[in-house]
Amino acid sequence: MAIKRKTALNVLLFAFILAFFVTPLGHFSKIVLNRIFASTPDIIDKASRQQLTSFDWKLKDANWDYFNLQKSQGKVVFVNFWASWQLPSEAQLRGIQQLYDDFKGKIDFYIITNEERPPVEEFMRLKKFTFPVTYLIIGEPAPLEILEPPGTYIIDKNGYIVAKEAAISDWDNDKIRGLLTELLK
């Protein structure tokens, strides 16, 4: 009994859809789709920018040592909230890594997660990310709203929030690079 062409096409379509959800190819494809549909973040116009009232915020570094955000007062700061298990977070981290590579030492990057160290360290190793990981201390008062991942802020030298994005975004683009360069002047 020969398989009809329509049946064969339906089986192939079903296999493709199944592969999209349960194979590494599907994971990679979803990351690519998230990147394609990520928008460029909006820059807040000067009249609408809010200033942080304080930089007093206790966090943990990659070595699990406590530090305070006050060390970044007077600097340009990039704050991103992410989770290793969340697809949109993973999709935008490559762009953030590229920004970090180009602006490290000039801008303070805080790529913040509330996860435990082992899964984060494994994720960083597998994805070959080198940006500094910062760990959120749950319940610690923060000078800004803790955004759901993937949420991001850019803060200028005077403590004004110049960009706030609560969704996946393309952070490695000319608009954001131009903004960061301007903020560094």
Side-chain angles (χ1 to χ4, degrees):
M1 179 173 164
I3 299 177
K4 292 182 180 181
R5 184 174 181 187
K6 186 176 180 181
T7 303
L9 288 174
N10 284 337
V11 169
L12 285 173
L13 179 62
F14 180 74
F16 175 76
I17 291 170
L18 186 62
F20 192 77
F21 289 102
V22 297
T23 67
L25 175 63
H27 179 80
F28 175 76
S29 299
K30 287 183 261 185
I31 294 290
V32 169
L33 285 173
N34 269 275
R35 288 181 184 148
I36 289 171
F37 292 109
S39 63
T40 301
D42 291 325
I43 297 170
I44 302 168
D45 46 305
K46 290 184 181 185
S48 302
R49 293 179 183 173
Q50 295 180 341
Q51 188 175 27
L52 298 181
T53 57
S54 167
F55 274 76
D56 188 19
W57 188 18
K58 190 164 44 168
L59 299 159
K60 289 182 185 177
D61 65 18
N63 296 320
W64 219 242
D65 294 326
Y66 293 100
F67 71 93
N68 198 301
L69 187 69
Q70 286 176 333
K71 72 180 192 173
S72 293
Q73 194 163 359
K75 299 179 181 178
V76 177
V77 180
F78 185 96
V79 177
N80 174 263
F81 298 96
W82 69 287
S84 64
W85 51 267
Q86 192 184 51
L87 217 61
S89 287
E90 182 180 345
Q92 78 175 8
L93 287 177
R94 184 173 67 178
I96 292 171
Q97 176 69 55
Q98 291 167 336
L99 279 182
Y100 173 73
D101 290 344
D102 293 342
F103 288 96
K104 67 182 167 193
K106 301 173 191 168
I107 294 174
D108 286 357
F109 284 82
Y110 296 96
I111 316 302
I112 301 174
T113 185
N114 64 359
E115 297 176 79
E116 294 295 321
R117 282 176 69 188
V120 170
E121 290 171 349
E122 179 70 5
F123 177 83
M124 297 290 288
R125 184 186 65 74
L126 288 172
K127 302 299 179 184
K128 296 181 172 80
F129 291 135
T130 61
F131 51 76
V133 175
T134 304
Y135 294 91
L136 182 67
I137 302 169
I138 304 299
E140 180 69 26
L144 44 80
E145 177 188 0
I146 306 296
L147 300 174
E148 290 293 321
T152 306
Y153 293 98
I154 296 176
I155 302 165
D156 72 9
K157 293 177 182 180
N158 297 314
Y160 284 95
I161 298 171
V162 297
K164 176 183 176 182
E165 191 63 52
I168 183 172
S169 295
D170 173 18
W171 291 99
D172 185 28
N173 63 64
D174 292 339
K175 180 180 176 182
I176 295 301
R177 286 178 172 279
L179 171 67
L180 293 175
T181 301
E182 184 65 31
L183 293 175
L184 287 170
K185 291 180 182 177

